Amino acid sequence: MADDRRPAADPTPPAAETTPPAADPTPPVPDGRRRAAWPAATRDSAPYPLPHGPVPPPTSPRGRGVDRLTPEARVWADVLASVFPDVGGAVTDAAEARRILARAPSSPGAPPPVGAVTDRSVPGPADAPDIPVRVYRPAAPGPAPTVVHLHGGGWVLGGLDLYDRTCRALCRAARAVVVSVDYRLAPEARFPAPVEDAYAALVWAGRHLGDLGGAAGPLVVAGDSAGGNLAVAAALLARDRHGPPLALQALAYPALDAARDTASYRANAHGYYLTATHLRWFWEQYLGPGGDGGHPLASPLRADLAGLPPAHVVTAGCDPLCDEGRAYVRALRAAGVEAVDDHCPGMFHGFVGLADVLPEGRAALTRLAAAIAVPLP
């Protein structure tokens, strides 16, 4: 698509924050669910409305043995599992899954304040639409890292509003400018369209670092789950297409191999919120019939990783994707790339998004934010 169809770039910091969206970064309670009689302190601090009923008792996935989740993590994993769309099971249509999330009530309480929030569009890939982004600026003046953030949701769900609190928390903790990217979703836009969107947003941010972060760098690519997959794929394209230069990959429980054939995938297939059924369905939507799951941009764990930027990788011990994240760290090190294995044994997929209520989530977010802040002189 010709350049004249795109809005002019305007990365100038706004004078004040725009009205924050009311959505939440974690899977919320769909309409029609019973509302909750949970302990007031837990309910008031939760990042989304809780369902009615007693706190679920700690249970192992198979109803026997010792639960590998911490007691607090078990409560939240069960809550999330009870409200998340049953994708790949009762819910097989992407639009229906999105409607379930869209009908959810808004989150209680104001979102974490930051210096300013601005919605805009940036140029997309050739012959593709412009990409909506949301730019978060820290309250403190002065140079700051710029983080291009790719949201999770299995390449099918999620967006700017759903990840608003996550990006605000990252902006505050890292004192960084965060560019949240509303890339095209599958199955309407299958691989490699979301990868190209992620890279286009990275290119735009790289060209405007001085205006975004107030410095000539550093530029960080970040993402969780499917967004972690896109973050790594965008880093591969940045290497192969000669820019922009990246200081860090900041990843949380990334999905990195379409084969889905690891010990953690089998051990954590059920009972820990994200399931093997969910992942199979997400990959099917992303790749489509006959899609090439072995392509290194679809399954970055199979790529040549030499020359990539350093990585900080958060993994959860009770996550089907755990072994993929840890294998990525080992593969990076074997390729001569510095990588941190930030492994959290008693946690589950998505726990960093519960930093307000899970101490382990808060600690992991703090470590990830510290890694982002380190490259800044």
Side-chain angles (χ1 to χ4, degrees):
M1 186 176 290
D3 286 343
D4 58 6
R5 63 163 175 77
R6 298 171 177 145
D10 181 18
T12 305
E17 180 176 351
T18 58
T19 302
D24 183 282
T26 52
V29 181
D31 285 347
R33 300 268 184 181
R34 293 180 300 155
R35 304 292 303 199
W38 287 58
T42 301
R43 186 175 62 250
D44 293 343
S45 62
Y48 58 90
L50 293 169
H52 242 308
V55 176
T59 57
S60 71
R62 293 180 173 84
R64 64 179 184 272
V66 177
D67 193 356
R68 289 182 289 116
L69 287 175
T70 68
E72 284 182 294
R74 167 52 62 194
V75 169
W76 290 103
D78 286 350
V79 169
L80 292 180
S82 72
V83 302
F84 193 71
D86 183 22
V87 295
V91 179
T92 59
D93 179 68
E96 180 185 358
R98 293 171 193 150
R99 284 193 296 269
I100 291 173
L101 296 183
R103 289 195 302 264
S106 59
S107 208
V114 296
V117 179
T118 306
D119 287 345
R120 57 158 298 133
S121 294
V122 303
D127 300 319
D130 291 336
I131 306 165
V133 300
R134 182 169 291 162
V135 181
Y136 300 81
R137 300 176 187 275
T146 296
V147 180
V148 174
H149 183 272
L150 290 313
H151 66 77
W155 307 280
V156 178
L157 307 173
L160 300 182
D161 290 348
L162 202 63
Y163 269 72
D164 180 68
R165 284 178 181 261
T166 294
C167 291
R168 287 170 177 270
L170 188 60
C171 173
R172 288 164 58 88
R175 298 182 181 179
V177 174
V178 176
V179 180
S180 182
V181 182
D182 200 14
Y183 57 85
R184 287 171 290 171
L185 298 176
E188 295 85 354
R190 301 189 194 270
F191 172 80
V195 174
E196 293 292 350
D197 282 1
Y199 178 67
L202 201 60
V203 168
W204 175 82
R207 291 174 178 170
H208 296 91
L209 284 178
D211 300 310
L212 288 168
L219 178 62
V220 174
V221 65
D224 71 298
S225 195
N229 171 289
L230 297 178
V232 178
L236 288 167
L237 288 180
R239 179 198 64 188
D240 295 344
R241 296 177 182 177
H242 310 294
L246 300 176
L248 182 73
Q249 305 169 72
L251 311 173
Y253 22 82
L256 297 174
D257 193 346
R260 310 184 307 280
D261 185 21
T262 64
S264 70
Y265 192 87
R266 293 182 289 273
N268 303 323
H270 302 285
Y272 297 104
Y273 165 51
L274 181 69
T275 71
T277 300
H278 294 159
L279 287 166
R280 182 179 65 251
W281 185 82
F282 284 138
W283 276 106
E284 288 171 354
Q285 306 311 300
Y286 185 45
L287 297 176
D292 184 7
H295 194 289
L297 294 179
S299 295
L301 195 52
R302 308 185 196 186
D304 174 8
L305 305 179
L308 287 185
H312 186 107
V313 185
V314 177
T315 57
C318 299
D319 179 0
L321 299 177
C322 176
D323 286 352
E324 293 177 32
R326 305 196 80 185
Y328 184 58
V329 170
R330 293 193 298 271
L332 285 171
R333 291 172 177 171
V337 178
E338 181 181 353
V340 172
D341 180 9
D342 189 348
H343 180 58
C344 304
M347 293 292 108
F348 62 97
H349 189 87
F351 80 99
V352 178
L354 295 168
D356 287 347
V357 293
L358 273 180
E360 294 89 347
R362 183 164 52 253
L365 176 65
T366 299
R367 293 190 297 270
L368 197 63
I372 291 170
V374 163
L376 189 65

